[in-house]
Amino acid sequence: MRRAKLSVIGAGNVGATCAHWAAAKELGDIVLLDIPDKVGVAQGKALDLWCCGPMERFDANILGTSDYKDIEGSDVIIVTAGLPRKPGMSRDDLINTNVKIVKSVSEQIKKYAPNAVVILVSNPLDAMVYTAWKVTGFPTNQIVGQAGCLDVARYCTFLAEKIGCSIEDISALLMGGHGDDMVPLPRYTSVHGIPVTELLDDATITACVDRAKVGGGEVVKLMGTSAYYAPASGSVQMAEAIIKDKKRILPCAAYCGKEYGVGGYFVGVPCVLGSGGVEKIIECKLNTDEKKLLEESVSHVKDLVGVVQNLFPELK
Ligand code: APR
């Protein structure tokens, strides 16, 4: 049987950690690509990780490169190229630089890996997903953004701590944009089938949501650069669902046409992820308050896309 192939663009903190989680899960062969100036870093990290195989018991070729030809035949590509957030910087401050980077990366993906499912991680995420979609011209099922997996994981971590239970028993859903824009759905959060609202009061649930919302900023403040273990873990969770055709239902930034009345934007919604990429968007019933929050979140996505279109008219 042919081994799956995963390429990770950007061999920095998030990219190298994606390669690490993916190798540990033996998802397939891995290509870690960075710019020519950093090819030594990409090659060094790839070599170092490759030699973990005998200890961690994974069979995988792990290649560091700056040559996009090496991504040919990839099943999944995770894009982490771009500047991380520095203290005091909002995600939106990053937009100009990172759109340029993701634009150039997307042109290469279009050329060398037209069949790959592309998972965007670079921030501001909602703008990057749009950019990759416009530049590649790929069908919408092949373009997806990682944000929801991370936000949900942070939310679940804090809930489990408050409840005093295993994270394994928590099942939760969030929608909308990344971070501040997330739409919490405590109605859809359960602890081994028990609604979370029966185990925690509203104030505690809200505190967990709020901490998850600013989770990225909390890490930036502590260590002076943005998070990478959890963002990489979220990305690899999605890559695994696609590579193994698991049909997992995960919250992802996916293209919504009629779904949720969004009208043609990438928004965080629950999706079925399988070998076809985003195979389906699940439309949950939302109450009036939840709908309002989602609308606000969508309007921020639209604003962000508007900024991209103003800065880069060719992406309209
Ligand atoms: N092609 C390939 N790699 C690139 C390109 C490019 N055009 N431009 C920059 N890179 C590489 C950088 O050389 C660097 O090695 O992307 C890498 C980014 O790594 P870090 O600076 O360590 O940033 P990281 O913390 O990994 O964050 C990357 O993910 O979560 C988001 O907000 C975060 O946008 C940021 C991205």
Side-chain angles (χ1 to χ4, degrees), residues 9-15 33-35 38 68 80-85 94 98 101 104-105 121-123 225-228 231:
I9 314 297
N13 284 337
V14 180
L33 184 146
D34 212 296
I35 51 176
K38 296 250 186 95
Y68 274 93
T80 75
L83 294 191
R85 208 155 39 127
L94 290 176
N98 284 357
I101 292 174
S104 74
V105 168
V121 189
S122 314
N123 276 314
T225 191
S226 52
Y228 47 95

Side-chain angles (χ1 to χ4, degrees), residues 261-315:
V262 168
Y265 289 87
F266 287 82
V267 176
V269 287
C271 304
V272 177
L273 281 193
S275 58
V278 178
E279 296 186 352
K280 192 179 169 192
I281 290 168
I282 312 273
E283 281 197 85
C284 321
K285 287 202 180 88
L286 301 181
N287 64 29
T288 313
D289 290 345
E290 291 158 353
K291 271 190 196 148
K292 198 164 160 275
L293 285 174
L294 184 63
E295 275 164 22
E296 277 168 24
S297 191
V298 172
S299 86
H300 291 154
V301 173
K302 288 182 184 170
D303 290 347
L304 204 55
V305 168
V307 175
V308 175
Q309 291 174 333
N310 280 338
L311 288 170
F312 302 89
E314 70 276 20
L315 293 179

Side-chain angles (χ1 to χ4, degrees), residues 2 5 12 19 21 48 51 53 58 90-91 95 102 109 121 127 134 150 182 184 220 228 235 247 264 278-279:
R2 172 189 165 270
K5 180 168 175 178
W21 290 126
D48 192 14
C51 292
F58 61 76
S90 76
R91 284 196 178 87
I95 199 162
V102 168
I109 292 175
V121 189
K134 278 288 165 179
L150 166 62
M182 71 171 67
V220 174
Y228 47 95
S235 312
K247 319 281 187 205
V278 178
E279 296 186 352

Side-chain angles (χ1 to χ4, degrees), residues 10 56 70 86 102-103 109 116 120 124 164 170 174 213 222 285 289 293 304:
E56 297 299 325
D70 291 322
K86 298 289 177 198
V102 168
K103 199 165 164 273
I109 292 175
L120 279 301
I170 302 201
L174 295 164
K213 273 188 189 173
L222 287 166
K285 287 202 180 88
D289 290 345
L293 285 174
L304 204 55

Side-chain angles (χ1 to χ4, degrees), residues 123-166:
N123 276 314
L125 195 261
D126 301 307
M128 298 306 135
V129 185
Y130 173 81
T131 301
W133 175 54
K134 278 288 165 179
V135 175
T136 58
F138 284 3
T140 51
N141 61 298
Q142 261 177 266
I143 302 281
V144 62
Q146 188 294 123
C149 289
L150 166 62
D151 289 335
V152 164
R154 286 180 173 147
Y155 172 52
C156 291
T157 302
F158 306 141
L159 285 177
E161 187 208 19
K162 292 290 178 206
I163 296 166
C165 73
S166 164

